[in-house]
């Protein structure tokens, strides 16, 4: 069994290839079994959560990801998410590899957002705003490059030094980037807004979003977590990665409970977009909202292409 650490996973993952692999996986998602993931609260004081995410394709691979989400890790200079991924041969159950699940998660999350943006974002993206400066935010511009040419990437974070740090890192990697000191002003300027935070109060407000903007919400995954206000998710054209997005994140769970949002308000899932069952954006003035919570289908797809690259298969 091979151990693929974060550096190896990153070296083997080509963002554009991952976006295309996810497109194919979502278009044929019925070939993969994805049980409902398990959430366990393991530490109330630290708001810490354990997630177990299995998936398998009977003629190929079995995989399971174990993830710890510790939102207060930033106080210690650590990522909020740590994970490990076990990949097994579906024919024999033999373990093939253990991959760094944290690295795998951030790239598959960013790639899924980019895949959705290919259907939902405006064709011309002069400014892309990243709300949050963590590991997922860092991966987003590299994946978006597979679907859109972005003029400028701006970064806002509660801690301005973290925003500046991500800007420096992106510039070193060839991305034109700058820090955004004022969040609301930055939202008003953006053609695409990606929020990747652990916020529990709305950061992206409907009144600041211009017509034609695409809003990409990737951070919240519990009922207490919210990145956009109710007015935005109820007034925009709403898309989700998977149906579970209506059961887990506060962005959608809270307005559903209040009756402000109905399940039928969701225009399509990522599988619908990838399979051509929905065209995506239909109007230049349309505000599109994509809410993702992630799925084990993405993890299995990413782990498979990393393993194939590692093994030369």
């Amino acid at each position: 069994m091979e151990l693929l650490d974060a550096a190896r996973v990153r070296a083997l993952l080509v963002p554009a290839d991952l976006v295309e692999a996810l497109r194919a996986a979502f278009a044929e998602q019925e070939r993969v079994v994805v049980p409902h993931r398990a959430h366990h609260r393991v530490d109330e004081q630290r708001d810490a959560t354990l997630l177990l995410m299995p998936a398998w394709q009977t003629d190929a691979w079995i995989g399971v990801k174990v993830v710890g989400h510790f939102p207060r890790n930033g106080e210690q200079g650590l990522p909020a998410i740590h994970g490990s991924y076990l990949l097994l041969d579906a024919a024999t159950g033999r373990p093939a590899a253990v991959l760094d699940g944290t690295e795998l998660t951030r790239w598959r999350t960013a790639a899924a957002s980019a895949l959705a943006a290919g259907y939902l974002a405006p064709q011309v993206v002069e400014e892309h705003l990243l709300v949050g400066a963590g590991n997922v935010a860092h991966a987003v511009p590299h994946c978006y490059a597979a679907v859109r040419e972005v003029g400028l990437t701006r970064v806002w974070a509660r801690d301005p030094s973290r925003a500046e740090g991500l800007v420096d890192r992106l510039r070193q990697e060839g991305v034109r980037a700058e820090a955004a000191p004022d969040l609301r002003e930055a939202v008003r300027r953006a053609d695409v807004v990606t929020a990747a935070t652990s916020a529990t109060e709305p950061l992206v407000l409907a009144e600041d979003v211009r017509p034609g903007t695409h809003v990409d919400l990737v951070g919240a995954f519990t009922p207490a977590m919210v990145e956009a206000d109710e007015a935005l998710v109820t007034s925009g054209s709403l898309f989700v990665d998977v149906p579970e997005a209506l059961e887990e994140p506060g962005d959608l769970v809270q307005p559903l409970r209040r009756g402000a949002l109905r399940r039928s308000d969701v225009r399509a899932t990522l599988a619908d977009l990838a399979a051509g069952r929905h065209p995506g954006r239909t109007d230049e003035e349309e505000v599109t909202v994509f809410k993702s919570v992630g799925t084990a289908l993405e993890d299995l797809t990413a782990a498979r292409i990393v393993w194939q690259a590692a093994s030369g298969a």
Side-chain angles (χ1 to χ4, degrees):
M1 182 172 64
E2 189 164 356
L3 177 63
L4 301 174
D5 64 12
R8 190 91 186 280
V9 170
R10 174 63 191 98
L12 294 169
L13 267 181
V14 178
D17 291 348
L18 179 55
V19 172
E20 289 309 308
L22 288 179
R23 191 189 310 277
F26 274 104
E28 301 180 345
Q29 69 170 8
E30 67 278 356
R31 297 181 60 198
V32 179
V33 179
V34 183
H36 197 80
R37 64 176 151 204
H39 286 246
H40 301 282
R41 182 61 63 88
V42 296
D43 190 324
E44 292 288 346
Q45 289 186 333
R46 294 184 175 84
D47 194 26
T49 305
L50 177 69
L51 294 87
L52 304 176
M53 301 175 63
W56 59 86
Q57 188 173 343
T58 52
D59 58 348
W61 298 101
I62 301 169
V64 61
K65 185 171 73 175
V66 179
V67 178
H69 181 252
F70 287 68
R72 292 177 56 183
N73 276 1
E75 299 169 7
Q76 305 174 56
L78 297 172
I81 295 175
H82 290 278
S84 298
Y85 195 86
L86 176 61
L87 184 68
L88 306 97
D89 185 327
T92 64
R94 180 185 64 84
V98 174
L99 300 85
D100 185 283
T102 305
E103 195 72 7
L104 201 73
T105 297
R106 75 182 185 114
W107 286 99
R108 64 79 153 155
T109 300
S113 287
L115 176 60
Y119 301 102
L120 303 176
Q123 290 299 316
V124 178
V125 181
E126 294 182 358
E127 291 194 12
H128 182 184
L129 173 64
L130 303 179
V131 181
N135 283 330
V136 172
H138 165 254
V140 166
H142 299 289
C143 292
Y144 263 68
V147 298
R148 290 292 185 274
E149 183 175 340
V150 176
L152 175 67
T153 299
R154 305 186 79 207
V155 182
W156 177 89
R158 292 187 189 276
D159 180 350
S161 67
R162 295 197 69 197
E164 292 286 358
L166 179 54
V167 166
D168 289 344
R169 188 176 181 186
L170 289 172
R171 286 174 176 170
Q172 291 170 15
E173 295 165 346
V175 177
R176 183 168 172 249
E178 69 177 31
D182 185 301
L183 174 59
R184 297 190 65 180
E185 179 270 343
V187 171
R188 295 183 189 116
R189 288 176 44 171
D191 301 296
V192 175
V193 178
T194 294
T197 74
S198 296
T200 56
E201 296 292 336
L203 296 172
V204 185
L205 309 180
E207 63 187 272
D208 295 330
V209 175
R210 293 183 298 147
T213 302
H214 174 54
V215 180
D216 175 27
L217 305 172
V218 305
F221 64 90
T222 73
M225 300 168 72
V226 175
E227 295 183 300
D229 67 354
E230 185 174 287
L232 179 57
V233 299
T234 56
S235 64
S237 298
L238 180 61
F239 298 81
V240 298
D241 58 344
V242 289
E244 288 80 4
L246 290 165
E247 302 169 6
E248 298 173 359
D251 298 286
L252 304 188
V253 168
Q254 293 181 21
L256 279 168
R257 287 174 177 171
R258 288 191 287 266
L261 182 69
R262 299 168 298 176
R263 289 178 175 269
S264 59
D265 290 331
V266 174
R267 303 293 178 93
T269 65
L270 198 46
D272 294 326
L273 295 171
R277 292 188 292 269
H278 191 285
R281 173 179 289 272
T282 57
D283 189 314
E284 290 183 359
E285 297 294 293
E286 185 178 11
V287 172
T288 52
V289 179
F290 176 65
K291 176 58 204 163
S292 66
V293 292
T295 168
L297 171 67
E298 298 165 6
D299 297 312
L300 186 63
T301 301
R304 173 180 57 80
I305 65 172
V306 169
W307 172 247
Q308 288 174 342
S311 62

